[in-house]
Amino acid sequence: MVCGMDVSYRGVRGAGAAVVLSYPDLKILEKKVAFRSVVVPYTPTFLAFREMPFFTALMRRLEMRPDVFMIDGHGTYHPVFCGSASHFGVVFNVSTIGVAGGLMGLEGEVKDGGTILLKGRRVGMAIRDGKRGVYVSVGHKMSLDLAASIVRGCIRGHRKPEPLFLADSISRGAIRGELHGQ
DNA sequence: GCGACAG
DNA sequence: ATCTTGTCGC
């Protein structure tokens, strides 16, 4: 089972969504949403501090035990090799994969074909389906090759792999729905 | 319609 | 990430 997690915002309010899918058939097994008010502003390379409260709430609500978590953000592709996907994996001691739509332009960053090197370390891979692709990096307890293989196995005709595509649309629908309930 | 993308 | 509106395309 693979679980996609993402957070959508509307002003100070945010909605986090976790979607558990079977693998490799990608059938939805569980969905959870958690609302919170954010207190931490967004600062590049510190995304985890803003999103962890949502992930923690979602982990409390999840009933299933996914084998791997897919996070909308980077893993080892980070100044200190610890992006939000890594941070989350370490805190909960689970396997994680970071998937993001773009690079940040970090110091010591080199693109070697589809491979991303950071200060000489192989920290990411570009995975493309159509015109634009996504960047995959290891979060925690996972090899880059397996992470890339799993992400490829979750692509279903969208730029983002299905677990994140679903978590993204569910969290967006949830935060917009909260507006209508006020 | 839904998703991608311009901007 | 979000705001907003239209257009192109499957």
Side-chain angles (χ1 to χ4, degrees):
Chain A
M1 295 182 277
V2 55
C3 177
M5 302 187 107
D6 191 24
V7 184
S8 290
Y9 305 89
R10 191 182 182 299
V12 70
R13 292 291 285 171
V19 186
V20 181
L21 304 181
S22 55
Y23 185 90
D25 45 309
L26 310 186
K27 298 295 180 189
I28 297 179
L29 303 178
E30 182 179 10
K31 304 186 225 182
K32 285 289 181 289
V33 170
F35 293 93
R36 302 185 65 85
S37 290
V38 290
V39 281
V40 183
Y42 169 68
T43 305
T45 78
F46 290 98
L47 179 62
F49 294 93
R50 179 172 164 84
E51 308 210 320
M52 275 302 290
F54 292 91
F55 297 156
T56 297
L58 290 169
M59 286 301 266
R60 275 196 298 261
R61 300 186 182 189
L62 275 184
E63 295 163 42
M64 310 201 94
R65 287 273 163 248
D67 302 288
V68 57
F69 290 81
M70 216 174 263
I71 304 298
D72 203 322
H74 291 296
T76 55
Y77 172 77
H78 180 275
V80 292
F81 306 101
C82 190
S84 59
S86 312
H87 187 133
F88 170 73
V90 169
V91 169
F92 290 97
N93 189 35
V94 292
S95 293
T96 64
I97 298 172
V99 180
L103 298 177
M104 296 183 277
L106 303 177
E107 276 184 43
E109 166 187 326
V110 175
K111 286 193 68 176
D112 177 22
T115 297
I116 311 302
L117 302 172
L118 222 205
K119 298 172 182 174
R121 285 177 53 176
R122 183 165 170 265
V123 298
M125 285 181 69
I127 287 185
R128 51 192 351 141
D129 183 27
K131 185 178 180 181
R132 303 185 51 174
V134 293
Y135 293 97
V136 176
S137 61
V138 170
H140 191 53
K141 291 183 150 190
M142 163 82 50
S143 72
L144 180 55
D145 292 319
L146 178 56
S149 163
I150 292 172
V151 170
R152 272 194 271 264
C154 288
I155 298 293
R156 286 291 184 281
H158 295 292
R159 179 149 95 114
K160 294 184 175 190
E162 211 60 12
L164 289 184
F165 173 78
L166 291 171
D168 183 73
S169 77
I170 290 169
S171 63
R172 286 181 70 151
I175 197 62
R176 303 196 68 210
E178 191 185 45
L179 157 70
H180 294 277
Q182 280 292 318

